[in-house]
């Protein structure tokens, strides 16, 4: 009786071991496949992030994501008439899902900037597109700037980015207040693309941060 009980117990253990072994092998396959997919997606995402004029000495960017993918995006492009359009954004959530919104966002931003559109028209188009494509509950907090150094002013549209400042050459910190809801929340009829005009001086720095740094 004892021998049969031990044999039965060992048989069950062997069966369970084989199940666990097979499951671990399957998980390892999924893990390898996921890593390969992430590498491809990461290459696409990085090509979007590097598409702009970030090699210019006026930019200083630090990105330290919680995971491989995150919802943080920084886009910048020179307008045909001179000056810069800059979009600094933070999609809700983390991971690959949060990064997917960067594809339509960058496409609209770079295409419209190249055609000479200002941030008001770009914002209207981005809001409409993201509203249509993003799932419910996902949106983009963003601060969008239109820099015209020759005019010594910057147009600012801030939609829920709390860490947006101008650091004056004198050391004074001027906050760029958020007066709008994030993109992809309001419908086209509700959305306002009106921006504030802020005077800038030689030596001023614009500092934009996501909520994580605060």
């Amino acid at each position: 009786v004892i021998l049969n009980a031990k044999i039965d117990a060992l048989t069950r253990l062997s069966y369970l071991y084989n199940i666990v072994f097979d499951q671990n092998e399957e998980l390892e396959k999924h893990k390898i496949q996921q890593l390969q997919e992430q590498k491809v997606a990461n290459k696409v995402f990085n090509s979007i992030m590097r598409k702009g004029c970030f090699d210019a000495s006026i930019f200083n960017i630090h990105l330290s994501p919680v995971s491989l993918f995150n919802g943080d995006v920084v886009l910048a492009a020179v307008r045909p008439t001179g000056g810069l359009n800059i979009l600094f954004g933070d999609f809700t959530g983390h991971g690959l899902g949060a990064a997917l919104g960067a594809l339509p966002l960058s496409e609209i931003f770079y295409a419209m900037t190249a055609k000479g559109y200002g941030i008001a028209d770009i914002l209207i188009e981005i809001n409409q597109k993201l509203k249509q494509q993003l799932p419910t509950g996902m949106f983009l907090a963003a601060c969008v700037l239109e820099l015209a150094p020759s005019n010594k002013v910057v147009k600012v549209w801030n939609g829920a980015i709390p860490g947006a400042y101008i650091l004056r050459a004198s050391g004074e910190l001027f906050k760029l207040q958020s007066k709008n809801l994030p993109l992809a929340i309001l419908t086209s009829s509700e959305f306002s693309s009106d921006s504030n005009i802020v005077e800038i001086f030689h030596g001023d720095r614009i500092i934009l941060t996501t909520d994580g740094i605060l």
Side-chain angles (χ1 to χ4, degrees):
V1 172
I2 293 173
L3 180 61
N4 284 334
K6 286 184 176 182
I7 292 172
D8 288 342
L10 289 170
T11 302
R12 285 195 300 272
L13 282 173
S14 176
Y15 173 73
L16 291 173
Y17 173 81
N18 288 332
I19 289 178
V20 172
F21 180 82
D22 291 341
Q23 287 177 340
N24 285 338
E25 202 171 42
E26 191 68 24
L27 284 171
E28 190 63 29
K29 288 179 182 177
H30 281 301
K31 185 180 177 181
I32 292 171
Q33 183 181 357
Q34 186 181 37
L35 286 173
Q36 290 173 340
E37 290 175 352
Q38 285 183 348
K39 285 180 181 178
V40 173
N42 192 41
K43 188 175 181 179
V44 173
F45 186 75
N46 286 335
S47 68
I48 293 171
M49 293 293 289
R50 297 194 186 103
K51 187 177 179 180
C53 50
F54 297 115
D55 54 344
S57 60
I58 62 169
F59 289 103
N60 187 353
I61 298 173
H62 177 71
L63 184 64
S64 180
V66 173
S67 56
L68 177 60
F69 291 103
N70 65 101
D72 298 341
V73 290
V74 187
L75 309 175
V78 179
R79 297 196 308 277
T81 54
L84 286 170
N85 286 346
I86 299 171
L87 187 148
F88 178 87
D90 182 11
F91 282 98
T92 48
H94 299 285
L96 182 56
L100 287 176
L103 295 173
L105 174 68
S106 62
E107 183 181 351
I108 294 169
F109 178 84
Y110 287 123
M112 292 188 70
T113 298
K115 292 177 181 177
Y117 285 97
I119 61 171
D121 294 320
I122 294 173
L123 280 164
I124 291 171
E125 186 66 24
I126 288 174
N127 182 72
Q128 183 179 354
K129 193 77 170 180
L130 293 184
K131 176 72 174 171
Q132 292 173 350
Q133 295 189 352
L134 294 183
T136 303
M138 188 174 178
F139 50 83
L140 173 67
C143 186
V144 186
L145 311 172
E146 185 177 312
L147 277 167
S150 58
N151 297 332
K152 296 186 178 180
V153 294
V154 56
K155 289 183 180 179
V156 181
W157 184 93
N158 191 350
I161 292 291
Y165 309 92
I166 292 180
L167 179 60
R168 301 293 189 191
S170 62
E172 176 192 1
L173 197 63
F174 179 82
K175 188 172 179 63
L176 301 173
Q177 298 288 349
S178 170
K179 297 182 179 179
N180 303 280
L181 289 174
L183 296 163
I185 290 181
L186 300 176
T187 61
S188 297
S189 59
E190 300 168 322
F191 181 75
S192 173
S193 62
D194 294 341
S195 57
N196 297 324
I197 296 178
V198 181
E199 191 174 8
I200 52 176
F201 304 94
H202 179 73
D204 286 354
R205 294 183 180 184
I206 297 172
I207 302 173
L208 305 173
T209 71
T210 58
D211 52 1
I213 198 68
L214 295 179

